[in-house]
Amino acid sequence: SAVLQAEVLDLDEDEDDLEVFSKDASLMDMNSFSPMMPTSPLSMINQIKFEDESDLKDLFITVDEPESHVTTIETFITYRIITKTSRGEFDSSEFEVRRRYQDFLWLKGKLEEAHPTLIIPPLPEKFIVKGMVERFNDDFIETRRKALHKFLNRIADHPTLTFNEDFKFLTAQAWELSSHKKQGPGLLSRMGQTVRAVASSMRGVKNRPEEFMEMNNFIELFSQKINLIDKISQRIYKEEREYFDEMKEYGPIHILWSASEEDLVDTLKDVASCIDRCCKATEKRMSGLSEALLPVVHEYVLYSEMLMGVMKRRDQIQAELDSKVEALTYKKADTDLLPEEIGKLEDKVECANNALKADWERWKQNMQNDIKLAFTDMAEENIHYYEQCLATWESFLTSQTNLHLEEASEDKP
């Protein structure tokens, strides 16, 4: 079973105190599944590039310059996407297009449809209900832009997804993308797929392989822990913001105070200066928390939801096979056609399982690296912050001590 090597914070819902889980609750070192198995020569080549020659990256994507559009029926934001590449399958080495959020949603849906058991990177939520953040607020738009940038770059770095046909999303003009969207399966086809999926999920999986049982247990535990960490991180940031808002009022107060205390003018102004420097250090630390740690933690909250969806799709494929085997066993259908259908479904299940096992190892390694880096950077930022504040006040105390010693020596006969 899964064991968490990094310490994880635990929050009691009824208490305000934060506690620390013991190290035996780890999610980081689960039993290894089979190694990654590229699904095509192209993906194999790309895998080698990323694992052995990361400096040879051949696809660079930037999402920037959000722009508001107002029509008679809606208001929406588009983002500029610049793609630079040396790949031969592209007609040019550089492309520039604009896309809106629903275009990203379409791409994610197409990738899930083509690769149901690969772990597709998550998109940021369409709306943020908590706190009722304005959808066109500058901070919200910038946060979404960064998340969309990461979404596309994670796809570009994936050894299989990066070569998906629908990744022409990066280069197609608006009318070409619109035309390509209309080429999807018809309504009746989609309804048939939905009905089969619902039927399979209702039947459930009778004999899920042990390795996928372990994987599912890991996902459930990971989801609990990462949601907890996300909640704690958000609360820490909120408390830090309240502390900063209160502290930045003290500097002006000490300046006003100095106007009525002739003997303490310099001392009070020095205190105000120290508070101001500490405020700036606090603001910088808050910026690091909001830009480095919070987005990483929340992205993996969304990943935990994606993983549950991947497991569900894998189970649906297996359930479809199980139902055909059961029908053949009890002769509930045309037995002449069933063996051929079962053979195809067995191949489909094997491909789905291999894809998930391979992508699982890749995702797990990325997750460990991302979370470790985010918390390490935050710890270093905290150390620097406390050292900076300590040095500020030590300098003040030293100057005050020297001043008192000089005054004392001058008072001696």
Side-chain angles (χ1 to χ4, degrees):
S1 61
V3 191
L4 184 58
Q5 287 180 339
E7 292 181 345
V8 182
L9 295 175
D10 178 28
L11 177 63
D12 190 325
E13 296 292 341
D14 300 321
E15 300 290 338
D16 288 331
D17 297 329
L18 300 181
E19 300 175 356
V20 179
F21 276 125
S22 61
K23 292 184 179 180
D24 61 355
S26 171
L27 291 169
M28 297 297 182
D29 260 340
M30 189 177 171
N31 293 333
S32 295
F33 292 98
S34 62
M36 183 176 294
M37 298 173 61
T39 57
S40 70
L42 280 177
S43 65
M44 183 179 294
I45 291 171
N46 201 46
Q47 181 189 359
I48 293 171
K49 283 183 181 179
F50 279 98
E51 292 184 352
D52 300 330
E53 302 177 47
S54 57
D55 57 320
L56 296 181
K57 182 174 179 178
D58 57 5
L59 187 62
F60 299 87
I61 304 170
T62 303
V63 179
D64 61 11
E65 293 191 7
E67 185 177 290
S68 178
H69 300 263
V70 180
T71 69
T72 55
I73 58 174
E74 63 176 340
T75 300
F76 59 93
I77 306 295
T78 63
Y79 302 84
R80 183 177 72 165
I81 302 174
I82 296 177
T83 303
K84 297 181 180 180
T85 182
S86 58
R87 291 185 185 176
E89 62 264 32
F90 286 89
D91 298 331
S92 177
S93 61
E94 186 169 342
F95 299 86
E96 180 178 321
V97 297
R98 297 199 73 85
R99 297 286 181 260
R100 58 186 295 184
Y101 181 79
Q102 68 178 28
D103 296 327
F104 288 85
L105 276 176
W106 171 84
L107 174 61
K108 175 174 169 287
K110 295 296 288 185
L111 293 175
E112 288 178 347
E113 181 183 316
H115 309 283
T117 56
L118 288 185
I119 303 170
I120 312 299
L123 278 173
E125 299 95 333
K126 188 169 185 177
F127 300 108
I128 297 180
V129 178
K130 185 177 181 180
M132 298 301 292
V133 176
E134 168 58 43
R135 187 156 61 105
F136 300 117
N137 173 281
D138 289 344
D139 291 339
F140 173 77
I141 292 173
E142 177 61 12
T143 299
R144 171 172 283 185
R145 182 200 66 77
K146 291 178 180 178
L148 296 176
H149 175 87
K150 179 170 281 189
F151 170 74
L152 291 183
N153 278 276
R154 285 201 183 277
I155 295 173
D157 290 347
H158 194 286
T160 301
L161 299 178
T162 189
F163 294 105
N164 183 276
E165 180 186 1
D166 292 305
F167 211 30
K168 63 178 63 174
F169 167 95
L170 296 174
T171 62
Q173 294 304 310
W175 66 269
E176 293 176 309
L177 184 64
S178 178
S179 175
H180 188 62
K181 286 181 179 180
K182 294 176 182 177
Q183 296 174 7
L187 176 62
L188 292 178
S189 175
R190 293 197 301 271
M191 287 179 61
Q193 293 172 3
T194 303
V195 169
R196 288 194 296 272
V198 171
S200 297
S201 62
M202 291 181 66
R203 283 192 297 267
V205 179
K206 296 180 180 178
N207 299 303
R208 180 190 284 163
E210 180 63 27
E211 56 193 341
F212 294 110
M213 290 293 293
E214 292 181 4
M215 195 182 293
N216 193 68
N217 292 338
F218 178 98
I219 293 169
E220 290 178 356
L221 182 59
F222 177 79
S223 178
Q224 294 173 11
K225 302 302 183 185
I226 200 66
N227 274 278
L228 193 59
I229 293 173
D230 184 51
K231 179 179 179 180
I232 294 168
S233 301
Q234 295 289 345
R235 195 176 80 179
I236 289 173
Y237 180 78
K238 178 176 177 291
E239 292 174 353
E240 192 82 1
R241 167 62 66 181
E242 292 170 352
Y243 168 71
F244 170 74
D245 289 341
E246 184 176 350
M247 182 170 61
K248 68 183 181 182
E249 296 178 2
Y250 290 135
I253 288 174
H254 281 76
I255 295 294
L256 290 174
W257 185 6
S258 68
S260 60
E261 296 284 353
E262 293 184 4
D263 296 337
L264 297 174
V265 171
D266 292 337
T267 300
L268 291 173
K269 286 184 176 180
D270 286 346
V271 170
S273 177
C274 290
I275 292 173
D276 183 60
R277 289 198 292 271
C278 288
C279 276
K280 291 178 179 177
T282 302
E283 190 171 24
K284 183 180 178 182
R285 183 172 70 151
M286 287 170 53
S287 176
L289 183 63
S290 65
E291 295 179 8
L293 180 63
L294 297 184
V296 172
V297 172
H298 192 66
E299 182 189 22
Y300 279 98
V301 169
L302 300 178
Y303 256 125
S304 69
E305 298 170 3
M306 291 292 298
L307 289 167
M308 292 177 183
V310 170
M311 287 299 297
K312 184 176 181 180
R313 289 192 292 272
R314 193 220 72 86
D315 287 350
Q316 287 171 351
I317 295 171
Q318 184 181 334
E320 190 176 356
L321 171 62
D322 292 344
S323 68
K324 295 293 183 183
V325 172
E326 182 181 355
L328 180 62
T329 302
Y330 296 100
K331 297 181 179 180
K332 295 180 180 179
D334 188 345
T335 56
D336 294 333
L337 297 177
L338 279 177
E340 182 179 353
E341 292 181 17
I342 289 173
K344 291 179 180 179
L345 282 172
E346 286 175 340
D347 291 341
K348 186 177 180 180
V349 169
E350 184 177 2
C351 288
N353 289 347
N354 287 338
L356 177 53
K357 288 188 288 186
D359 218 24
W360 174 255
E361 290 302 318
R362 182 181 182 279
W363 175 84
K364 206 166 51 157
Q365 185 63 52
N366 286 341
M367 177 269 292
Q368 293 175 22
N369 293 339
D370 289 345
I371 292 180
K372 179 180 179 181
L373 180 62
F375 278 97
T376 300
D377 287 349
M378 199 67 244
E380 291 176 352
E381 183 70 29
N382 285 342
I383 292 171
H384 178 70
Y385 165 77
Y386 287 116
E387 288 177 343
Q388 191 175 357
C389 291
L390 180 61
T392 296
W393 291 107
E394 284 182 340
S395 174
F396 167 76
L397 291 174
T398 299
S399 66
Q400 289 299 305
T401 301
N402 292 337
L403 179 62
H404 289 312
L405 289 175
E406 289 176 7
E407 291 175 350
S409 64
E410 290 175 358
D411 292 340
K412 289 182 179 180

